[in-house]
Amino acid sequence: MDNYKSDNTARRFKAHVSILGTTQIHLRNPYIIAWWSVSFPGFGHLLLSKYLRGFLLLAWEVVINLKAHVNLAMIYSFQGNISMAKEVLDTRWLLIYIPVYIFGIWDSYRTTVDMNNVYILAEREDHEINSFSIGALEINYLDKRSPYLAALWSFFMPGLGQLYIHRIVTAFVVIIWSVIFFYYSHMLEGVSLLFLGEIKKATSVLEPEWLLMFPSLYGFAIFDAYMNTVENNKLYEKEQRRFLKNHYQAKTFRVLRRKERI
């Protein structure tokens, strides 16, 4: 049940509050979105709430990256061992990896530009949106939350920040992939050995191909949680302002210009 049922008279809507999360359109920097697609294909689309495309590209990146040994080649190149980096690359997988990787960057940039234009038109139309949704499984509503706290929870465990701001779909995907990365990289095992002082053993148990996926995952989880908390707070303020204006502001009220006040 929603507190406002859309009659679909608007051409465009700025946001939608459902039991699975708050989805909204807002102005974004297309270069930043494209950069996240460079960091990890699919992340740029997830930031745009283009979930199906983002999930597909994310899964593609993990599978094809491991098959082509891209991360392993990057590690050898970081060490200056270029010949070994060339040797471990599997061109059978690499040649289908490159075009999809470039497409993810281009498509996220193009989509951001288009969605910015849509947001400007939706903002001018300023149609009413629902701010409260309740169902048998969940309750979601617009409210103000701390972006720093959202980022902190994502720092402790990727996906928790998304749960904090009720982005259920993104949280589910990020947490699942985090568990997979933790398991196959043996990162937690290495951390445990590091605390015990067994540095060589901690290093030896790590799987570098899986471990190299963590910086992008952690960075995305923190950035996404912080950025969406800020935008949700802005949406809450706009909806609250609209409600107070429509229900409590006198019809005769008008904002005086400076000359009129004098």
Side-chain angles (χ1 to χ4, degrees):
M1 294 183 291
D2 299 331
N3 62 338
Y4 168 74
K5 289 292 185 180
S6 171
D7 53 9
N8 291 324
T9 57
R11 291 193 67 188
R12 301 168 183 89
F13 293 92
K14 292 183 294 184
H16 175 64
V17 177
S18 70
I19 60 173
L20 292 179
T22 301
T23 305
Q24 64 169 309
I25 304 173
H26 56 83
L27 292 178
R28 297 175 172 91
N29 188 325
Y31 294 103
I32 292 179
I33 300 300
W35 185 89
W36 278 111
S37 291
V38 173
S39 173
F40 207 106
F43 282 170
H45 291 84
L46 291 182
L47 288 170
L48 297 172
S49 298
K50 304 281 285 186
Y51 296 119
L52 294 179
R53 204 174 307 180
F55 298 158
L56 179 62
L57 289 172
L58 199 156
W60 174 277
E61 164 66 17
V62 174
V63 173
I64 306 301
N65 187 309
L66 293 173
K67 292 292 185 179
H69 304 293
V70 174
N71 282 355
L72 190 58
M74 289 174 61
I75 294 170
Y76 283 125
S77 64
F78 292 157
Q79 296 172 346
N81 194 347
I82 306 301
S83 59
M84 194 63 184
K86 294 179 180 178
E87 185 177 339
V88 297
L89 283 174
D90 191 335
T91 54
R92 294 176 301 174
W93 292 98
L94 185 65
L95 293 179
I96 64 173
Y97 174 85
I98 294 174
V100 178
Y101 182 81
I102 296 174
F103 168 81
I105 300 169
W106 171 82
D107 188 64
S108 63
Y109 179 91
R110 175 199 63 83
T111 304
T112 306
V113 173
D114 288 344
M115 290 181 67
N116 285 346
N117 294 331
V118 170
Y119 170 78
I120 293 172
L121 295 174
E123 183 70 14
R124 290 177 179 176
E125 192 170 356
D126 195 26
H127 203 278
E128 188 175 357
I129 62 170
N130 63 309
S131 59
F132 184 90
S133 181
I134 185 171
L137 298 177
E138 268 291 354
I139 302 173
N140 186 25
Y141 49 87
L142 290 180
D143 65 341
K144 297 191 73 172
R145 301 184 185 184
S146 170
Y148 297 104
L149 191 56
L152 182 62
W153 280 117
S154 290
F155 175 78
F156 288 144
M157 173 68 186
L160 293 184
Q162 283 70 25
L163 282 179
Y164 170 65
I165 61 174
H166 205 94
R167 282 173 61 83
I168 303 298
V169 178
T170 305
F172 177 79
V173 172
V174 171
I175 290 175
I176 291 298
W177 280 112
S178 296
V179 172
I180 293 174
F181 292 166
F182 274 121
Y183 181 81
Y184 285 104
S185 68
H186 300 280
M187 180 179 175
L188 297 182
E189 185 180 352
V191 171
S192 300
L193 291 171
L194 184 64
F195 286 154
L196 294 174
E198 300 183 26
I199 299 177
K200 290 185 178 180
K201 191 173 181 180
T203 305
S204 63
V205 299
L206 294 175
E207 291 290 339
E209 281 191 282
W210 289 95
L211 188 65
L212 204 59
M213 296 181 181
F214 268 110
S216 297
L217 181 68
Y218 261 97
F220 165 77
I222 294 171
F223 177 81
D224 177 78
Y226 181 91
M227 182 268 296
N228 277 289
T229 306
V230 171
E231 295 300 330
N232 284 356
N233 289 347
K234 292 179 182 178
L235 184 65
Y236 168 81
E237 290 174 355
K238 289 180 180 178
E239 195 279 333
Q240 186 76 355
R241 188 183 305 117
R242 180 192 182 98
F243 174 80
L244 294 175
K245 180 179 178 180
N246 292 340
H247 292 82
Y248 294 99
Q249 182 172 294
K251 300 295 183 182
T252 57
F253 175 83
R254 65 190 183 95
V255 178
L256 299 178
R257 297 180 180 177
R258 185 172 185 180
K259 292 182 179 179
E260 294 175 326
R261 292 199 299 268
I262 296 175

